[in-house]
Amino acid sequence: MTRDQKIYRVAYWMACFIFASILLSGYHKILYPADFALSVYRFHLLPDGLVNISSLYFQWLEMVCGFCLLFVPKFRMAALWITLILLLVFTGAIGINLMRGTAFSCGCFSNAPDALPMSGTSIVRNAVLVLLAVLAMVSARKSR
Amino acid sequence: MGTTLKRIGIILLVSGMLALVANLVHPRRIPWVQSWSNHVEAKARKAEIRVIPFSVALQKFQTSEVVFMDARPAGEFEAGHISGAVSMPFQSLEEQFPMIGNLINSGKELVVYCSNRECDDSLVLATELKAMGAENLTLYIDGFEVWQKYGGATASSPAGP
């Protein structure tokens, strides 16, 4: 392995570690599923019948992706793709709600009532994470 | 790419199975399907009344351009309320018409609340205020219980301004 490949490999690992930390820090969504379902409802993008099912599914999808990024090297690339798609979907949903003038938090990192409402900062944060995910994918390819 | 797609499929499937099993055994499990339209928040949205959570209510509290209106019964108000709030139980709304008129004409934002997310006293009050011509009207959905729990300023009797 060349020096450049080693650098790319370290960058890939670091990005995976960052994403795993972010995803696994959402464990509160599993502990308090009703609160996360409320957060999903507050996006007003899904029909009533899909709100709870989606919220239950997303919280576990995030956990499984976080676990794979950290502990299952063979599944890292697949987990990165899913993370990237989730990020794009959530960013779009936040953007729509910002245009509608929502006052609620996105429920991304906390479901507590004192969580700050979604704002332009949420979009910027997600854009940075999207870039990081793309960077991780490129690094993974170049490290081979 | 084919292998990655297969692995994506496995992750999606495992996540679905975990969600299914977890919600069956979870002590705080939620129904798979729920009618959100029955919630106070959804009704307020339908009535085109602006809804805010605790974080935003707290920000508004720190400005002087807001009047908090407590829709709970007078006894509950006396036991504790948001500091500076006005007691406005919707059952005795008629007695308070002059005061309501003054508040509406003051141009300040009226923020109504009751106990928690489930109570609908604040929604009833907000709907009445809207019918009386209040335009700058907001419903603080988390109510007094969350306000108190998260350290918002409170006061006991007597009533506010």
Side-chain angles (χ1 to χ4, degrees), chain B residues 49-127:
Chain B
I49 294 167
R50 193 167 47 238
V51 182
I52 58 168
F54 170 75
S55 57
V56 180
L58 193 62
Q59 285 170 2
K60 288 185 183 291
F61 178 79
Q62 284 151 359
T63 72
S64 56
E65 299 305 308
V66 174
V67 177
F68 280 84
M69 299 174 88
D70 192 319
R72 297 173 303 155
E76 287 181 38
F77 178 87
E78 282 163 17
H81 53 261
I82 293 178
S83 192
V86 181
S87 177
M88 199 69 63
F90 72 89
Q91 297 93 335
S92 56
L93 217 52
E94 282 181 25
E95 300 160 20
Q96 311 201 55
F97 273 174
M99 189 206 235
I100 293 171
N102 289 338
L103 286 172
I104 292 173
N105 294 333
S106 72
K108 288 185 175 179
E109 182 176 0
L110 306 180
V111 180
V112 296
Y113 71 92
C114 49
S115 305
N116 51 43
R117 283 205 296 253
E118 277 76 44
C119 71
D120 60 2
D121 291 359
S122 52
L123 176 61
V124 175
L125 175 62
T127 310

Side-chain angles (χ1 to χ4, degrees), chain A residues 30-35 37-38 41-42 44 48-49 51-53 55-57 60-61 64-65 68 74-75 77-79 81-82 100 103-105 112-117, chain B residues 1 4 7-8 10-16 18-19 22-23 26 28-37 41-42 45 51-56 59 117 141-142 146 150:
Chain A
I30 288 176
L31 291 180
Y32 303 99
D35 290 345
L38 181 64
Y41 162 73
R42 282 175 169 163
H44 299 292
D48 275 15
V51 169
N52 286 15
I53 294 173
S55 71
L56 287 165
Y57 186 66
W60 278 103
L61 186 57
V64 173
C65 285
C68 289
K74 276 187 177 176
F75 279 72
M77 189 51 73
W81 272 106
I82 295 173
R100 287 173 176 170
F104 289 99
S105 145
D114 59 350
L116 289 175
Chain B
M1 195 65 197
T4 306
R7 286 173 184 164
I8 288 174
I10 292 171
I11 292 177
L12 295 176
L13 199 67
V14 169
S15 305
L18 283 171
N23 199 46
H26 202 297
R28 287 183 282 263
R29 63 177 158 269
I30 58 173
W32 294 101
V33 177
Q34 184 175 343
S35 177
W36 287 90
S37 53
E41 200 172 315
R45 199 175 133 81
V51 182
I52 58 168
F54 170 75
S55 57
V56 180
Q59 285 170 2
R117 283 205 296 253
I141 192 72
D142 292 320
V146 166
Y150 283 84

